[in-house]
Every structure is written in C-alpha cells, then in structure tokens.
Amino acid sequence: MEKSFEPAQIESKWYERWEASGAFQPSGKGEPYCILLPPPNVTGTLHMGHAFQQTVMDMLVRYQRMRGMNTLWQVGTDHAGIATQKIVENQLAVEDKTRHDLGRDAFVERVWKWKEESGSTITNQMRRIGAAADWSRERFTMDPGLSAAVQKVFIDWYRAGLIYRGNRLVNWDPVLGTAVSDLEVNNVERDGHMWSIRYPVVGSDESMVVATTRPETMLGDVAVAVHPEDERYAHLVGKMLMLPLTDRLVPVIADDYVDKDFGTGCVKITPAHDFNDYAIGQRHKLAPITIFTLAAKVNDNAPEKYRGLDRYDARKRVLADLEAAGLLVETKPHKLQVPVSDRSDAVIEPMLTDQWFVDLTSDTLADGRPGGRQAITQPALDAVRSGEITFVPENWATTYTQWLDNIQDWCISRQLWWGHRIPAWYDEAGNIFVGEDEADARKSATAAPVGALRQDDDVLDTWFSSALWPFSTLGWPANGPVKNERGEVVANWEQDKIFLPSAVLVTGFDIIFFWVARMVMATKYFTGQVPFREVYINAIVRDAEGQKMSKSKGNTLDPLDLIDGIELEPLVAKSTKSLLIPQVREKVEKRVRKDYPDGIPAIGTDALRFTFAALASYSRTINFDIKRAEGYKAFCNKLWNAARFVLMNMPDESGPEGEVAAPTGAPVTEAERWILTRLKQTLGEVEKHFISYRFDHLAQALYEFTWNELCDWFLELAKPALNGEDAVAAASTRHTLLVVLESVLRALHPVIPFITEEIWQSVAPKLALTENSLMQRPWPCADEIAADDAATAEIEWFKNVLSGIRKIRSEMNISPARTIPLLLADGDASDRARVAKFAAQIAFLARTEAPQWIEAGTDEPAAAAAVVGTLRVMIPLAGLIDLGAEKTRLAKEISRIEVEIKKCEGKLGNANFVANAPAEVVVQERQRITDWNTTLMALREQAQKLG
RNA sequence: GGGUGCUUAGCUCAGCGGUAGAGCGUCGCCCUUACAAGGCGGUGGUCGUAGGUUCGAUCCCUACAGCACCCA
C-alpha cells in the first residue's frame, strides 16, 4: 500500500468495475427496496445540493443492498421544459435567430440534439460521487414509455372530468411568453413607491383615495373596495366613482378582504392583473378588464393614448397624467414584494389566459361523478394523515397537509414547444377533442367535429410528467417490456411493480408541493398505492457563513472541484465565466480570491461524502465548511494507515492465497474482546441511525470507533501483543485485527465506498473471503458479535492508568522519548492482577520500566501520582519532576474533586431531591460521591506524603 | 399578517430533564519504526434574554429579542 491515502488513484478504478459487474442492478432476491432519484434537469450540472442528496440516497441504497434487500435505485433525468428551451433559445440568439425562424419541428429537433450532447453531463458527475444507481434503467421524462404514461394520464383524467380548459388568471412570464408555476416565481423585495390616487364620487363633492404600488393597472380597475364595517365609507358603498384617465365608472363595493387600517382603507380592484382582486371580482360578479397584451404592453381596452406602451412606460404616463389632473395625492417610497420569474428574471404579470387545469378542488362534478378534491386531493391528504406516508423530520407533514388543504386547481399547460404536447384538438367551432392521436380523438368524440381539427399548440408542465415518476419508470401503463428512446428495454410493469411503493423519497423541502404532493396524487389515483412510505426532507446546502450559494455571490462550490481540487486562477476563471454584469464579475472574483487564496485542495469523493454525512442532522440547512471536509480527508488517511499497519503485521508465511489462519476458539486477549464489544455497540448504533436517518450520528459513531478506539487503543495494544512472547496471543490478535478491520470497512462502505473497497481488496485474501467486491459482502451485523463486559472493564481500567501516567509526563514536561520508573501503591487484589496482566502494555505504551509495587508500611520515595480507584500510580520525582510543581498539580486536582463532591453533597443534602428523584438517580449520585471520596483520599494521602 | 425553524466553546455543529460534547482552530511537548493529513497533554462555554413548571432546566412552558425560510 502507498504510504498515504491518494483519493484520485483509487477512485478512478472502482466505479466502472462495480457498474460493469451489474452490482447496481436489483439482485432479484430479498425484499424490494426502491429509492427514486428526483430527476435532475437533463441539461443541468451537479451542484452541492445534488451531491449531498445523492450521497444520502447512495448510503441508504448501499446499506440496504448489503443487508440483502432487492435494491433498485431508479435514476433518470427531467426534460425541464422552460429551462431547456431557454438554453437553446439563447444559443439561437447568438446566431441572431429566434425559435420562430426555425419553426416548431426544427426547433424541437435542435433541443433534442442539445439534450443528446449535454444530457450525460450530470449523470457522469453522479458517477464521480459514487452513486450506485441502476443506470441500465435510466429514464428520461420524454422517452417513449414515459410519454405514453403522460398521455394516458391526461386522457384518463380528461375523460373522468378531472382535467378541464378554462380562462383563468395565471402567473404569466411576458418575456418567455408562457404561464409558469408558482415554484418558478420568486417574490423579491424591491424598492418601489406607494402612490395615493383620488377617485371622485359621481354626483358628489366627495372622493376616495386609493393607495397602489401599480398605478398603471388602474386602467383595468372595475371597482374600489372598502371593509364592510368601515364607518368612514359605509355611506359610499354602492355609489359610483369616476375612474380617472378613462371614461369609465366603477362601483364602490364592500369586502372583508380589505384591511381597514392599511393606507386609506380603500383598495382599487383590478381582477385581470391581481390574484386577490380576481377573487374579489368573482365574489362580486365584476367582469375583469384585461389591459395588457401577452408581452405586457397596454392593449386596446385602455384609452388610446396609452396603447402600445410597455407596462413601466404606461406607469410613468399614468402618473404624469394624474399629477396634471390634480388627482395624485401622495407619492412615498415603499418596499414591496415583486413576483419575478425564476427563469427569465422578468416581472410576472398575472394574466387571464386560456389554460388547461387539473381539478383539485371540486367535490362533485356537475354530472355527479367525483370531483378533483374527492378523487385526487383527499386521498393524497389521507395518505399522510393516516401515517401511510411519514415525513422525516415529521413536522414537514404539516407543510404538506396545510398546502393541500388550501390547494388551487393545477395549471398544467405551458406555452412552450419543448415538452409533452397536449393531446387535444379543436375543430373550427372551438370544440375540444382529446385522444391519443387525431383519429382516437375523433373516435371518442360524442359529436362530429366542425371542419378540420387542429392540435393544441401547448405542452404540459414538466411537473405533470414527474408526478408520474414513481410508476411510469416501472413500466406503467404498458403490460410488457418498455423501451427507452435508444430502444433498450428499461422496465416491465408486470415484474417491476414490486418496487412500488418505494421505500423512501429523499428530496428538498422546496418541492414538497410541486413534486412530492403531486406524485402522491397521481400514484394514488392510478395505482391505488402510495409512491413511497417515507419522505426524508434533506437540508439545503449553504456556504460556511450560512449564505445561500449563488453564482452571482461567488460562493458556489462545484462538488467536483472539491473532489479533484482546483488552482486559484482556473477557479476564478470558472466562477466568473458566465457572469455578464461587470460589477458582479468583480465582486465574485474578489470573493473567490479571499475565500480560496490557495485554490481548493483535492479532498476526494470519500471525504466529501463523509462530510455530507457528518453534517446531515435534522437541521434544515447545512453550512458547508471546507475545513470540515479537510478533517474528514484526514480521517480517510487515518483509516488507510490503520489498514497499512494491520497488513504490515501479517505473517510472511501466510498461505498460498495470503490467508492468515484463523485461530480456534475465542480471542485470547482482553483487548480483542474489548474492541469486538465496542464494534458490536458501534454497529448497533449505526443500524439505529440508518433507520432514523441520523447520518451525522452514524458518521460520528464510525469516526469515533475507528479513530478513538481502533487506532488510538486497539492498534497500540496490539503492538506489544504482536511482538510479545505469547505466540498464541499474537496469532489471536493478528486475526482479530483483520476481522475488526474488515468489519469496519463494511460498516463504512455505504459512506465512503472507494477507499473501503480499495483497502478491502488487500484484506479479503487474508481472511480467505471469496467475494469479488466489498459491495457483495453482507452488512456486519451487531448480533453476530459477542459482547464481553468484563474485558471492557479491564480495558477501561487500563486506559485510566495509562492516561494518568501520560498526564503526569506531559504536565511535568518529561520527554516522551525517556523511559521512566513506575511505582504502584495501595489498590486491591484486582489491581494487582490487572497490573500483572497488562505489565507489558503499560511499559510499552507509557514508556516506563517494569512496574514495582511498594508494600504498605515501607517508605515511599517522593513521587508524582495518578489515582485510579484506590490504586496510586506513581512516578518518582528524583531527577524528573520538581516537587513544587507536583504539589501545585495535586492541589489543583484536589480542589477540582472537592467542587464535584460539594455538588453531590448539595443534591444529597436536599431532602426533596432524595424524596422525589428517581431511585436510580439517587443511587448514582451516592455512587459518584463514594468514588470521588476514594480518589480524594488517595490524593490527600499523596499530598501529605510529599509534605 | 399567518406558518415553520434556529440562537450551545473562536468557527461549523451535536446534545434536549439528572456529571456540558465533537470536528476544525488555538496553546505546550514530541519527526516514538501505521499515520506530522500524525501522537500525547492542555486551554476554551453563567447553553440568546426574562419569567414559570420541577427536588433539579441547555433541555419542558410562556413572553421577548435577534436571524433564517415558507405562505399570503
């Protein structure tokens, strides 16, 4: 083995071998255990969030596979309608073209081409982080099978009356020219103004003043609303107002929605361009007036002078005209939430358009069939309320149910070209025909179409196809084998439905509504089953200061840069490459140079994964600190060197295969039985933490065992045993070293697969193991290891003795290289026996001469002492230690213990404590005071002897 | 405005009713033959503030402050 751990060398070789061996595919044996990968954007790249989430999934999958489960990690990518179309449109823009220059078919072809080029980027990156996913079943949301599922679901829901077409207010992106989902809209706080505008009351001297952040929308006002109990305006309700700048009159209406205390208590109502106003308009049966075109320019419903103006130009014009008319009462600065499209940065304009919706809100349809609430929403709510699906951490269930309780119908149409085209046709009279194709649509119609049929231009929301992911990837709705777009068989529902429900969904909280809930809805409706039993909501990865990672801040990290390392200059170049605004570029460069003055060191995949595990508590964010990752690289190196030590100590005369003969019978030494006991405990903890998804505790348990017990104590204890005269103990220790190392490799494998595999390959022959890969080994079960409490007590005693000596050496500044005398006094029979048993270990590890007992009554030389129980462990002062220093040290120790005793006495002296505290707590407290007193007496005796 | 979290050592975080913990950093001594990415030993915290419940509160309850995020 190399002298130190070199991640790059070992990571490159294992992944391909694992994949080629078929180890990532379901074994076909054991209980099914399935995890669905939240499909990343097909043209996307791996970011820290992906790397974290996928590490979590990979740990679970590898663990369950080792436990003998029939494991499927279903992977694939998402066509990400808007994002992908936008990228290709940007490419066209460079050539000074738009998608319309190409036409629909040629454009879509071009997107496919781009998908072919870049589609494997993220999946190859996933391989770098070691994802043990079944790539032979990789799917794409637009492959033929998944498209068939989309079509069937649309048609079935349409025919069940659960999908309808309607003219509704939606989030409209005027730049992209499509409706977008709420998820793609960010509410951003911006500096704006609050303008107060006077609306005169018709036939009166009175007027009403409304406050608005969007004065231009007044051109579409249909009313002014006040609170029904607002006495100031009660007499005006029902009266008409003159809408300034127009020749229209609008009524004053009363509605609870209005906040009396906000502004003047009068609200202008523009139903066509505001969601709240839309609801009020509906309540009061006021027809909305749309005043913008789809490009957000003023349309013909507004007075002529404003027509054709962009919404912001219109605002200026409206304000100027109001000012001129003396109707602008006040202008003051105001912070407001502006809805901004995540995809184009354009300000969203609520817009009345014809869209397709999934009904999620009506109880019963007009014809008596169940409505969407009954058929789709309620079952999804029940699945979580009944506990059929549980969230981890559990409070996310509240988020889920609250959202479903207030759900709106789902707008599923998008005005894009890239996506699943809606299987609906219109005749010349505007009648709708839905079917698999035009012929099927005609066939299923109740009336003959008028004239020619034309297919709907729109495509479906990407989430519509991802909602079907849990069952469409398993082959539904086909009965036989399903092929992907390359013609390879990837699923077969008849066989694969055993993987439904999947075991756990690992995903971010931000898509609970948009994806998680919709998967539950669709899967429940079409298969009658829940899509998964548990939902583990993973934390969001932030930078070390807790800031959101963003390219424009310059605090993003590329997981591959952490794995491979990167020099400063390339890192700067990379971070600033796609930033267009010069100021941002400077800021980013400064930040990168400050944060990584020496670039990023290569820490390797395993250390990165261990870091993710160690940070994965139930907290909702994890702040990624590169320092921490470096610490876990050191851990990998520690493990590496521990393995080196074990292998270096194997006999030369091992068998033909390198096998080290297993001794018959139980391990000989206390140390072996102790480390096996600790291994058993650790494995038990790890199993527990896997069940509760506490990867931080899991990682810590393994870290502590490996470093603080195996390396710090057992390997050290093994040294004298291996080199001692007891050949039986040496042989036994040698074998235990191998067994413990091999077990810990197995236990660590789900977290750090590469290094463990690499080491295991060298260890396996020594144990005559026949598997080709660590991946094929079973999980090291705690139940298979014997515990030995007596041995544990012996080793605890030994550790106390050794620590006592080390502390004296260190505090008295005795050179670690110097061998010193060791004296023992007092103690009981068991101390005598233990000293005899561990004499060689004590001498070796504490660098002392053979211990010498001082019999009671004989004179003691002046010495520094440590106390273990009643035993005094002493190092003579002569030539080594300053008497004064030792007295000071003792005094400090004595006063520390006196404080502890005082605390105990305080509790035990309280009658209420003794009467009310649980018996075992009182007993424990009494035991503590006894132990402290024992130590105190020994220390005092020692102090007295020093004079 | 409604909701959900968070506030513990210099930093990043565990703990959550009965002796305050880890990693990193820091200080001292050591290049001891698995590992200086290391060893050994230290230092460092009235657990956001104020009340309450309890024999006992970092942990439970209430209020407040600050910081996040989600939904309006």
Side-chain angles (χ1 to χ4, degrees), chain A residues 805 807-823 846-849 861-865 873-887 889 946:
Chain A
I805 301 169
K807 203 162 162 173
I808 292 169
R809 293 193 69 123
S810 176
E811 287 180 17
M812 294 299 121
N813 265 322
I814 300 168
S815 160
R818 185 160 176 184
T819 302
I820 54 175
L822 179 64
L823 304 176
R847 284 238 173 181
T848 64
E849 293 163 6
V873 182
M874 298 186 289
I875 293 163
L877 298 181
L880 286 169
I881 299 169
D882 172 60
L883 180 64
E886 174 60 10
K887 278 186 183 170
R889 202 183 67 89
L946 290 180

Coordinates of all heavy atoms in Angstrom, one line a residue, chain A residues 805 807-823 846-849 861-865 873-887 889 946:
Chain A
I805 N -0.6 8.3 33.8 CA 0.8 8.4 33.6 C 1.1 9.4 32.5 O 2.0 10.3 32.7 CB 1.4 7.0 33.2 CG1 1.1 6.0 34.3 CG2 2.9 7.2 33.0 CD1 1.5 4.5 33.9
K807 N -0.6 11.9 31.6 CA -0.9 13.3 32.1 C 0.3 13.8 33.0 O 0.7 15.0 32.8 CB -2.1 13.2 33.0 CG -2.9 14.5 33.0 CD -4.3 14.3 33.5 CE -4.9 15.6 34.0 NZ -6.3 15.5 34.3
I808 N 0.8 13.0 33.8 CA 2.0 13.4 34.6 C 3.1 13.7 33.7 O 3.8 14.7 33.8 CB 2.4 12.2 35.6 CG1 1.3 12.1 36.7 CG2 3.7 12.6 36.3 CD1 1.4 10.8 37.5
R809 N 3.4 12.8 32.8 CA 4.5 13.0 31.9 C 4.4 14.4 31.2 O 5.4 15.1 31.1 CB 4.6 11.9 30.8 CG 4.9 10.6 31.3 CD 5.2 9.6 30.2 NE 6.5 10.0 29.6 CZ 7.5 9.1 29.4 NH1 7.4 7.9 29.8 NH2 8.6 9.6 28.9
S810 N 3.2 14.6 30.7 CA 3.0 15.8 29.9 C 3.1 17.1 30.7 O 3.8 18.0 30.4 CB 1.7 15.7 29.2 OG 1.4 16.9 28.5
E811 N 2.4 17.0 31.9 CA 2.3 18.2 32.7 C 3.7 18.5 33.4 O 4.0 19.6 33.8 CB 1.2 18.1 33.7 CG -0.1 18.3 33.0 CD -1.3 18.2 34.0 OE1 -1.1 18.3 35.2 OE2 -2.4 18.0 33.5
M812 N 4.5 17.4 33.6 CA 5.8 17.6 34.2 C 6.9 17.7 33.2 O 8.1 17.7 33.5 CB 6.1 16.4 35.2 CG 5.1 16.3 36.3 SD 5.2 17.8 37.4 CE 3.5 18.4 37.3
N813 N 6.5 17.8 32.0 CA 7.4 18.0 30.9 C 8.5 17.0 30.8 O 9.7 17.3 30.6 CB 8.1 19.4 31.0 CG 7.4 20.4 30.2 OD1 7.0 20.1 29.1 ND2 7.2 21.6 30.7
I814 N 8.1 15.7 31.0 CA 9.1 14.7 30.8 C 9.1 14.2 29.3 O 8.1 14.0 28.7 CB 8.7 13.4 31.7 CG1 8.6 13.9 33.1 CG2 9.7 12.3 31.5 CD1 8.0 12.8 34.0
S815 N 10.3 14.2 28.8 CA 10.4 13.9 27.3 C 9.7 12.6 27.0 O 9.9 11.6 27.7 CB 11.8 13.8 26.9 OG 12.0 13.1 25.7
P816 N 8.9 12.6 25.9 CA 8.2 11.4 25.5 C 9.2 10.2 25.2 O 8.9 9.1 25.3 CB 7.5 11.8 24.2 CG 7.4 13.2 24.3 CD 8.6 13.7 25.0
A817 N 10.4 10.6 24.9 CA 11.4 9.6 24.5 C 12.0 8.9 25.7 O 12.5 7.8 25.6 CB 12.5 10.2 23.7
R818 N 11.9 9.5 26.9 CA 12.6 9.0 28.1 C 11.8 7.9 28.8 O 10.6 8.0 29.0 CB 12.8 10.2 29.0 CG 13.6 9.8 30.2 CD 14.1 11.1 30.8 NE 14.9 10.7 32.1 CZ 15.4 11.6 32.9 NH1 15.3 12.9 32.6 NH2 16.0 11.2 34.0
T819 N 12.5 6.8 29.0 CA 11.9 5.7 29.8 C 12.0 6.0 31.3 O 13.1 6.3 31.7 CB 12.5 4.4 29.5 OG1 12.4 4.2 28.1 CG2 11.9 3.2 30.2
I820 N 10.9 5.9 32.0 CA 10.9 6.3 33.4 C 10.5 5.2 34.3 O 9.8 4.3 33.9 CB 10.0 7.5 33.6 CG1 8.6 7.2 33.1 CG2 10.6 8.8 33.0 CD1 7.6 8.3 33.4
P821 N 10.9 5.3 35.6 CA 10.4 4.2 36.6 C 9.0 4.4 36.9 O 8.4 5.5 36.7 CB 11.3 4.5 37.8 CG 12.2 5.6 37.5 CD 11.7 6.3 36.2
L822 N 8.3 3.3 37.3 CA 6.9 3.3 37.6 C 6.7 2.6 38.9 O 7.1 1.4 39.0 CB 6.1 2.7 36.5 CG 4.6 2.6 36.7 CD1 4.0 4.0 36.7 CD2 4.0 1.8 35.6
L823 N 6.1 3.3 39.9 CA 5.8 2.6 41.2 C 4.3 2.5 41.4 O 3.5 3.4 40.9 CB 6.4 3.5 42.3 CG 7.9 3.8 42.2 CD1 8.3 4.7 43.3 CD2 8.7 2.5 42.2
A846 N 3.5 3.5 27.9 CA 3.7 4.6 28.8 C 5.2 4.9 28.8 O 5.6 5.8 29.5 CB 3.2 4.4 30.2
R847 N 6.0 4.1 28.2 CA 7.5 4.2 28.2 C 8.0 4.2 29.6 O 8.6 5.1 30.1 CB 7.9 5.5 27.5 CG 7.8 5.3 26.0 CD 9.2 5.6 25.4 NE 9.1 5.3 23.9 CZ 10.1 5.4 23.1 NH1 11.3 5.7 23.5 NH2 10.0 5.0 21.8
T848 N 7.6 3.2 30.3 CA 8.1 3.0 31.7 C 8.9 1.8 31.8 O 8.8 0.8 31.0 CB 7.0 3.0 32.7 OG1 6.2 1.8 32.5 CG2 6.1 4.2 32.6
E849 N 9.7 1.7 32.9 CA 10.3 0.4 33.3 C 9.2 -0.5 33.9 O 8.1 0.0 34.1 CB 11.4 0.7 34.4 CG 12.5 1.5 33.8 CD 13.4 2.2 34.9 OE1 13.2 1.9 36.1 OE2 14.3 3.0 34.5
P861 N 9.4 6.8 48.0 CA 10.2 7.9 47.5 C 9.2 9.0 47.1 O 8.0 8.7 46.8 CB 10.9 7.4 46.3 CG 10.1 6.2 45.8 CD 9.4 5.7 47.0
A862 N 9.6 10.2 47.1 CA 8.8 11.3 46.7 C 8.4 11.1 45.2 O 9.3 10.8 44.4 CB 9.5 12.7 46.8
A863 N 7.1 11.2 44.9 CA 6.7 10.8 43.6 C 5.5 11.6 43.1 O 4.7 12.1 44.0 CB 6.4 9.3 43.5
A864 N 5.3 11.8 41.8 CA 4.0 12.3 41.3 C 3.1 11.1 41.1 O 3.5 10.1 40.7 CB 4.3 13.0 40.0
A865 N 1.8 11.4 41.4 CA 0.9 10.2 41.4 C -0.4 10.5 40.7 O -0.9 11.6 40.6 CB 0.6 9.8 42.8
V873 N -0.7 5.3 41.1 CA 0.2 5.1 40.1 C 1.3 6.2 40.2 O 0.9 7.4 40.0 CB -0.4 5.1 38.7 CG1 0.6 4.7 37.6 CG2 -1.6 4.1 38.7
M874 N 2.5 5.9 40.4 CA 3.5 6.9 40.8 C 4.7 6.9 39.9 O 5.2 5.9 39.5 CB 3.9 6.7 42.3 CG 2.7 6.9 43.2 SD 3.2 6.9 44.9 CE 3.7 5.2 45.1
I875 N 5.2 8.1 39.7 CA 6.5 8.3 39.0 C 7.4 9.1 40.0 O 7.0 10.2 40.4 CB 6.2 9.1 37.7 CG1 5.4 8.3 36.8 CG2 7.6 9.5 37.1 CD1 4.8 9.0 35.6
P876 N 8.5 8.5 40.3 CA 9.4 9.1 41.3 C 9.9 10.4 40.8 O 10.1 10.6 39.6 CB 10.6 8.1 41.4 CG 10.1 6.8 40.8 CD 9.0 7.2 39.8
L877 N 10.0 11.4 41.8 CA 10.4 12.7 41.4 C 11.9 12.8 41.0 O 12.2 13.6 40.2 CB 10.1 13.7 42.6 CG 8.7 13.8 43.1 CD1 8.6 14.8 44.2 CD2 7.8 14.3 41.9
A878 N 12.7 12.0 41.7 CA 14.1 12.1 41.6 C 14.6 12.3 40.1 O 14.4 11.4 39.3 CB 14.8 10.9 42.2
G879 N 15.1 13.5 39.8 CA 15.7 13.7 38.5 C 14.7 14.0 37.4 O 15.1 14.2 36.3
L880 N 13.4 13.9 37.8 CA 12.4 14.0 36.7 C 11.5 15.2 36.9 O 11.1 15.9 36.0 CB 11.6 12.8 36.6 CG 12.2 11.5 36.0 CD1 11.4 10.3 36.3 CD2 12.5 11.8 34.5
I881 N 11.1 15.3 38.2 CA 10.0 16.2 38.5 C 10.3 17.1 39.6 O 11.0 16.8 40.6 CB 8.7 15.4 38.9 CG1 8.3 14.4 37.7 CG2 7.6 16.3 39.3 CD1 7.3 13.4 38.1
D882 N 9.8 18.4 39.5 CA 10.0 19.4 40.5 C 8.9 19.2 41.6 O 7.8 19.1 41.3 CB 9.9 20.7 39.8 CG 9.9 21.8 40.9 OD1 10.8 22.0 41.6 OD2 8.8 22.6 40.9
L883 N 9.4 19.1 42.8 CA 8.5 18.8 43.9 C 7.3 19.9 44.0 O 6.2 19.6 44.1 CB 9.2 18.8 45.2 CG 8.4 18.5 46.5 CD1 7.8 17.2 46.5 CD2 9.3 18.7 47.8
G884 N 7.7 21.1 43.9 CA 6.7 22.2 44.0 C 5.7 22.1 42.9 O 4.5 22.3 43.1
A885 N 6.1 21.8 41.7 CA 5.2 21.7 40.5 C 4.2 20.5 40.8 O 3.0 20.7 40.5 CB 6.0 21.4 39.3
E886 N 4.7 19.4 41.4 CA 3.8 18.3 41.6 C 2.8 18.7 42.7 O 1.6 18.3 42.6 CB 4.6 17.1 42.0 CG 3.8 15.9 42.4 CD 2.8 15.4 41.4 OE1 2.9 15.8 40.2 OE2 1.9 14.5 41.7
K887 N 3.3 19.4 43.7 CA 2.4 19.8 44.8 C 1.2 20.7 44.2 O 0.1 20.5 44.6 CB 3.1 20.6 45.9 CG 3.8 19.7 46.9 CD 4.4 20.6 48.0 CE 5.2 19.8 49.0 NZ 6.0 20.7 49.9
R889 N 0.2 20.7 41.2 CA -0.7 19.9 40.3 C -1.7 19.1 41.2 O -2.9 19.1 40.9 CB 0.2 18.9 39.6 CG -0.5 18.3 38.3 CD 0.4 17.3 37.6 NE 0.6 16.1 38.5 CZ -0.2 15.1 38.4 NH1 -1.2 15.1 37.5 NH2 0.0 14.0 39.2
L946 N 4.1 14.1 50.3 CA 5.0 15.0 49.7 C 5.4 16.1 50.7 O 6.3 16.9 50.4 CB 4.5 15.6 48.4 CG 4.3 14.7 47.2 CD1 3.7 15.4 46.0 CD2 5.7 14.0 46.9

